[in-house]
Amino acid sequence: MTTDEKYMWRCLSLAHKAMGYTYPNPLVGSVIVHNGQIIGEGWHTKAGEPHAEVNAISSVKDKNLLKESTLYVSLEPCAHFGKTPPCADLIIEKEIPRIVIGCTDIHSKVSGKGIERLQQAGREVVLGVLEEECQALNVRFFTFHSRKRPYIILKWAQTADGFIAPEHKDTNTPVWISNDFSQQLTHLWRAQEEAILVGKNTIIKDNPSLTTRHWVGNNPLRLVIDADHSLPASSAIFQGGNTVVFTSKEVSNTSNVSFVPLSSGLSMPEQVCNYLYEKQIQSLIVEGGTQVLQQFIEKGLWDEARLFVGNSQFLKGTKAPLLQANLVKIHNIGGDHLFIYKNSSSDL
């Protein structure tokens, strides 16, 4: 590992602290090093708040050392006025001589402009240190701006014999396939994504609230497919926060429920993606059921699939979705097996 890679790893670690909180901005971490010692570091915590470079520079006690230091940042510094001033200008103002950048920013307002401004000011700029890792950190941001749709994660749990629900159950409370650890991990994931989607049958069978009650973090925007507008208003998904319902019926919005018309011109996954892109929502986790998940799979509109396999068997019931994709990781989560798949056709 090179010295530059060592400090870029620290940038990535810092940036990840704000996972789920910076939308619509990317995750960014920054470290300032003087004579082999970190003298300042920071990360972007929330949209509208100071950027990572600003926080790192502010944390340096002796500002005179900046003129002899290297600034590391996981994403290209901005060069435009948004909610905050350009970071490239601040770096130049503080006379920092060397800047190491993980990856360039593909956003049209930034792309290459921050690097160009630093170079024009006579600064030494090093590009592409841990570039793949820095791009992977902001895969949601990059997917949204390059593919004009949210980053899509498919998630479900299935039994050892391949079912996601039993044939019959007496109540609309969930029949858990995964264990408590897997369920808590699911709530962490919900806190990291901007929106969550299920179909009508999942609401009828399980009555989920789709919140992050088992983890600290923001609740995602809840989406449900209810083409015939038949779900009862008492469903848990309509309580509390905001919910969006995709339906073929003409229905007026309420204080916390918005109704979006489904048309015959595009598939359901395409219409969901278009709506979320229009609303500037960068990520979506699709939790079920089988029909909804399968439609996203068949359209190729997914980037990552997270599949829990528990130890129980149902023998009969609702079959799990069919997925043929690249298996990239397997984790043991307290006895459950978590399989992570990637959609190779959606690689940036």
Side-chain angles (χ1 to χ4, degrees):
M1 181 187 299
T2 67
T3 298
D4 284 347
E5 289 174 342
K6 170 186 172 182
Y7 293 118
M8 191 59 69
W9 277 117
R10 179 58 181 165
C11 291
L12 289 169
S13 177
L14 291 169
H16 199 269
K17 290 175 178 288
M19 186 72 176
Y21 291 96
T22 64
Y23 295 115
N25 292 352
L27 296 160
V28 186
S30 182
V31 170
I32 299 173
V33 178
H34 178 267
N35 289 341
Q37 296 293 322
I38 293 177
I39 61 170
E41 57 184 28
W43 63 94
H44 182 46
T45 58
K46 184 180 179 182
E49 299 294 325
H51 289 183
E53 304 95 312
V54 175
N55 287 330
I57 290 171
S58 297
S59 72
V60 176
K61 293 181 179 179
D62 185 354
K63 298 296 193 289
N64 291 320
L65 297 179
L66 292 171
K67 299 176 182 179
E68 303 169 351
S69 300
T70 295
L71 182 144
Y72 292 84
V73 62
S74 56
L75 186 68
E76 175 184 0
C78 63
H80 67 287
F81 281 90
K83 293 183 178 179
T84 59
C87 292
D89 288 356
L90 178 64
I91 294 169
I92 294 168
E93 175 192 328
K94 298 300 181 182
E95 300 183 49
I96 299 173
R98 184 172 184 263
I99 300 92
V100 179
I101 299 170
C103 64
T104 57
D105 189 337
I106 67 170
H107 195 290
S108 59
K109 291 183 178 180
V110 182
S111 185
K113 298 180 178 67
I115 295 168
E116 182 181 6
R117 186 170 297 183
L118 292 170
Q119 291 174 331
Q120 287 177 346
R123 303 298 188 264
E124 178 188 354
V125 179
V126 179
L127 303 174
V129 175
L130 298 184
E131 184 173 28
E132 290 186 6
E133 290 82 355
C134 290
Q135 289 173 339
L137 175 70
N138 281 305
V139 67
R140 294 156 182 80
F141 179 81
F142 289 139
T143 297
F144 181 82
H145 287 289
S146 63
R147 297 190 178 276
K148 312 301 181 187
R149 65 162 176 82
Y151 184 81
I152 300 171
I153 300 168
L154 309 181
K155 176 266 168 184
W156 72 90
Q158 68 182 55
T159 60
D161 55 349
F163 295 94
I164 68 167
E167 185 175 25
H168 302 291
K169 64 189 184 80
D170 297 330
T171 67
N172 64 352
T173 56
V175 174
W176 296 111
I177 296 172
S178 55
N179 61 39
D180 290 345
F181 300 106
S182 298
Q183 292 163 31
Q184 187 177 46
L185 181 57
T186 294
H187 284 232
L188 165 61
W189 293 341
R190 290 177 181 177
Q192 293 175 340
E193 311 308 332
E194 285 198 274
I196 185 170
L197 171 70
V198 297
K200 178 184 72 174
N201 290 339
T202 297
I203 302 298
I204 293 172
K205 292 177 180 178
D206 297 337
N207 194 30
S209 60
L210 302 183
T211 62
T212 59
R213 60 195 179 278
H214 296 315
W215 196 265
V216 176
N218 296 324
N219 289 322
L221 175 65
R222 300 173 298 187
L223 314 177
V224 61
I225 308 299
D226 182 18
D228 57 2
H229 186 50
S230 60
L231 286 174
S234 59
S235 300
I237 197 172
F238 299 130
Q239 314 308 314
N242 295 326
T243 300
V244 176
V245 179
F246 291 86
T247 180
S248 300
K249 306 292 184 178
E250 291 188 10
V251 189
S252 298
N253 295 340
T254 67
S255 60
N256 69 317
V257 181
S258 300
F259 294 90
V260 178
L262 285 169
S263 67
S264 58
L266 290 174
S267 69
M268 178 274 290
E270 290 171 317
Q271 292 180 66
V272 170
C273 287
N274 289 345
Y275 173 82
L276 293 179
Y277 182 74
E278 178 185 333
K279 296 298 181 180
Q280 299 289 295
I281 293 174
Q282 294 182 6
S283 67
L284 170 68
I285 184 165
V286 183
E287 285 203 8
T290 293
Q291 292 183 11
V292 171
L293 288 160
Q294 199 68 54
Q295 288 182 66
F296 277 86
I297 292 170
E298 290 175 0
K299 278 294 178 181
L301 283 173
W302 66 281
D303 300 284
E304 185 179 341
R306 300 171 181 175
L307 166 58
F308 288 106
V309 177
N311 296 315
S312 60
Q313 297 190 33
F314 287 163
L315 302 179
K316 293 181 180 181
T318 304
K319 277 286 191 180
L322 297 175
L323 176 68
Q324 293 182 335
N326 296 328
L327 177 63
V328 293
K329 289 180 182 178
I330 303 176
H331 301 283
N332 188 311
I333 311 294
D336 291 343
H337 287 90
L338 171 61
F339 296 83
I340 307 293
Y341 297 88
K342 292 285 189 179
N343 185 352
S344 58
S345 65
S346 71
D347 290 343
L348 296 174

